[in-house]
């Protein structure tokens, strides 16, 4: 933020609060930006530094809130998503002071969970994510906690899918989906983002940015559900969810052109097997247009000059070939189906003619 904003922030915040916000900001930067530059022989060093800061924040918050209300994660029953009954359905209000404190702690538990998953410590990651859910499950869903509710369940969905426990993943993701639907029906206001809990009033995100991030989390839910349904061989549902995901990615301008194009071309294959040729062609045409956004294929000369250009050339050629193969499959299937229809038509015409001849010979 600007210097005046920081001065204002300093004036309106206690030193402890300011320190928390600075640590949070540093942890996120370490995790999301600096970790990309970590050396191969120590690939998680920035993630580990971020973890230490998150632990410090967690400990400070626990001490701050100690005695005010029960923020004990405890060893209560693990909520079985998909069979939870009333979602986030507790007597305590999510926007009460206790609800806000739980949401704040929940955000840190969430980040600790993701951090452990990213450093390949899945059991510890799962534990932190479950702590996050247990903290929030005592409160009704509200503008303050809905984003944390959904994102924690998205992460648990990915975690269980990675362990090939598809039904468990399905439970968490379907709950995330119904939480979104319920929130949009009952409230619908742009909810708080996770980072809003650790920003000064002036630094908080705009409503537009909040909406964008919230909708993005829901798009991820739908994307992971598409994979889950595909694994469970519920192909029609998988196709529907994949289609919605692609539409939403375009609507919110949140996509990587080549990745999107390949997903659209893959979806076309599903439509083709169902003989839905208009939908299949629409997906393939969209794939071509969006793949074009990835830019021109670098020339061979440029590829020899630089490794980056060489990789880009290889990737673009490979992905475009994949899309071309999907077009070929589309044309082949279309011709085969047309041939079958023609054979049926010819056969029925011949049958009608033959029966006509029989009747004539009988009359003779």
């Amino acid at each position: 933020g600007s210097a005046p904003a920081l001065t204002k922030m300093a004036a309106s915040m206690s030193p402890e609060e300011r320190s928390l916000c600075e640590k949070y900001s540093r942890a996120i930067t370490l995790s999301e930006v600096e970790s990309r530059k970590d050396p191969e022989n120590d690939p998680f060093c920035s993630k580990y530094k971020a973890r230490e800061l998150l632990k410090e924040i967690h400990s400070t918050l626990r001490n701050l809130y100690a005695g005010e209300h029960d923020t004990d994660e405890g060893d209560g029953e693990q909520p079985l998503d998909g069979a939870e009954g009333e979602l986030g359905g507790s007597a305590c209000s999510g926007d009460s002071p206790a609800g806000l404190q739980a949401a704040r702690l929940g955000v840190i538990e969430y980040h600790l969970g993701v951090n452990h998953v990213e450093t390949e410590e899945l059991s510890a990651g799962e534990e932190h994510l479950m702590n996050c859910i247990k903290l929030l499950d005592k409160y009704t869903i509200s503008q303050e906690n809905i984003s944390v509710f959904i994102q924690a369940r998205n992460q648990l969905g990915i975690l269980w899918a990675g362990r090939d426990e598809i039904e468990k993943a399905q439970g968490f993701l379907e709950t995330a989906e119904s939480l979104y639907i319920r929130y949009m029906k009952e409230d619908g206001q742009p909810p708080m983002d996770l980072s809003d809990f650790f920003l000064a009033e002036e630094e908080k995100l705009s409503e537009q940015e909040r909406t964008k991030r919230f909708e993005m989390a829901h798009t991820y839910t739908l994307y992971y559900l598409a994979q889950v349904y595909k694994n469970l061989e519920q192909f029609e549902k998988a196709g529907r969810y994949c289609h919605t995901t692609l539409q939403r990615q375009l609507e919110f301008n949140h996509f990587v052109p080549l990745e999107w194009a390949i997903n659209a071309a893959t979806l076309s294959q599903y439509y083709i097997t169902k003989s839905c040729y208009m939908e299949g062609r629409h997906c393939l045409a969209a794939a071509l247009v969006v793949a074009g956004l990835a830019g021109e294929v670098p020339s061979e000369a440029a590829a020899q000059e630089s490794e980056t250009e060489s990789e880009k050339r290889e990737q673009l050629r490979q992905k475009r070939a994949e899309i071309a193969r999907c077009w070929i499959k589309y044309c082949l299937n279309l011709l085969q189906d047309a041939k079958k229809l023609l054979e049926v038509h010819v056969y029925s015409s011949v049958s009608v003619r033959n029966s006509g001849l029989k009747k004539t010979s009988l009359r003779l």
Side-chain angles (χ1 to χ4, degrees):
S2 60
L6 282 173
T7 319
K8 242 170 115 184
M9 173 179 166
S12 63
M13 274 188 165
S14 70
E16 194 157 35
E17 193 60 44
R18 194 162 64 247
S19 160
L20 281 177
C21 293
E22 283 164 5
K23 278 181 187 172
Y24 180 85
S25 169
R26 180 84 189 111
I28 298 300
T29 306
L30 276 164
S31 196
E32 292 176 7
V33 182
E34 295 185 20
S35 63
R36 291 183 204 151
K37 297 179 285 213
D38 285 349
E40 272 179 44
N41 60 349
D42 194 2
F44 300 137
C45 67
S46 295
K47 301 268 185 201
Y48 293 143
K49 284 179 195 163
R51 181 184 302 175
E52 287 316 305
L53 289 169
L54 290 167
K55 280 181 174 172
E56 284 173 29
I57 298 170
H58 187 268
S59 152
T60 306
L61 289 178
R62 288 297 297 260
N63 293 335
L64 264 178
Y65 303 152
E68 287 191 36
H69 68 97
D70 173 29
T71 53
D72 182 35
E73 282 102 60
D75 300 307
E77 273 300 294
Q78 179 166 317
L80 283 174
D81 276 48
E84 268 185 309
E86 185 66 8
L87 298 170
S90 161
C92 308
S93 170
D95 59 4
S96 64
L100 285 170
Q101 291 175 358
R104 231 178 161 205
L105 259 176
V107 168
I108 299 302
E109 287 283 9
Y110 168 82
H111 283 301
L112 280 167
V114 173
N115 180 288
H116 282 85
V117 169
E118 286 173 343
T119 58
E120 294 164 16
E121 298 160 74
L122 298 187
S123 295
E126 182 199 342
E127 195 180 324
H128 282 292
L129 290 166
M130 286 309 301
N131 283 345
C132 169
I133 284 183
K134 284 178 208 165
L135 273 169
L136 295 175
D137 267 348
K138 298 170 188 167
Y139 301 92
T140 56
I141 58 170
S142 68
Q143 239 175 297
E144 290 74 19
N145 62 26
I146 185 66
S147 288
V148 201
F149 257 127
I150 287 173
Q151 291 190 47
R153 284 182 167 89
N154 277 355
Q155 288 296 331
L156 282 158
I158 302 165
L159 188 120
W160 285 109
R163 292 169 168 170
D164 275 337
E165 296 258 10
I166 305 300
E167 274 90 357
K168 264 193 172 172
Q170 182 186 5
F172 283 111
L173 294 166
E174 284 179 350
T175 303
E177 182 188 23
S178 24
L179 283 166
Y180 169 87
I181 292 165
R182 199 178 114 190
Y183 177 78
M184 291 309 277
K185 202 162 70 182
E186 291 177 5
D187 190 320
Q189 292 302 306
M192 277 179 76
D193 183 62
L194 277 60
S195 61
D196 281 329
F197 286 97
F198 296 94
L199 287 171
E201 208 51 51
E202 310 76 28
E203 308 273 301
K204 287 197 165 79
L205 302 178
S206 67
E207 292 208 338
Q208 195 181 0
E209 183 58 27
R210 282 178 175 188
T211 300
K212 189 180 160 191
R213 291 189 186 194
F214 183 54
E215 293 295 350
M216 209 157 78
H218 182 55
T219 303
Y220 280 127
T221 305
L222 301 177
Y223 175 73
Y224 303 135
L225 273 172
Q227 320 297 315
V228 160
Y229 293 136
K230 192 176 168 189
N231 271 309
L232 294 170
E233 295 184 6
Q234 297 178 19
F235 297 118
E236 208 152 314
K237 222 171 180 184
R240 215 167 53 239
Y241 275 73
C242 187
H243 193 117
T244 309
T245 300
L246 292 170
Q247 269 180 327
R248 289 175 63 87
Q249 285 177 329
L250 282 185
E251 187 187 337
F252 295 103
N253 195 20
H254 182 253
F255 61 94
V256 176
L258 281 182
E259 198 182 295
W260 191 96
I262 292 299
N263 285 333
T266 308
L267 180 61
S268 78
Q269 306 302 285
Y270 162 74
Y271 285 125
I272 291 163
T273 58
K274 295 273 173 202
S275 298
C276 301
Y277 287 105
M278 274 176 68
E279 291 87 344
R281 192 177 66 189
H282 181 76
C283 287
L284 285 168
L288 273 184
V289 172
V290 174
L293 301 177
E296 289 301 306
V297 177
S299 66
E300 209 167 332
Q304 280 167 352
E305 294 278 307
S306 113
E307 201 178 319
T308 317
E309 290 294 286
S310 168
E311 274 175 23
K312 187 182 174 188
R313 176 180 162 84
E314 191 48 47
Q315 196 196 28
L316 281 172
R317 289 179 69 187
Q318 187 195 337
K319 301 295 184 195
R320 287 187 180 170
E322 280 178 43
I323 297 168
R325 269 199 296 276
C326 290
W327 272 109
I328 292 165
K329 207 166 159 192
Y330 165 81
C331 295
L332 272 174
N333 277 53
L334 189 59
L335 288 169
Q336 282 165 349
D337 270 8
K339 184 177 173 233
K340 276 182 212 154
L341 283 171
L342 198 60
E343 282 168 354
V344 169
H345 179 69
V346 168
Y347 176 76
S348 56
S349 301
V350 168
S351 301
V352 167
R353 245 199 344 267
N354 285 348
S355 65
L357 283 171
K358 276 179 192 160
K359 281 176 192 164
T360 317
S361 57
L362 283 171
R363 279 207 298 274
L364 289 170

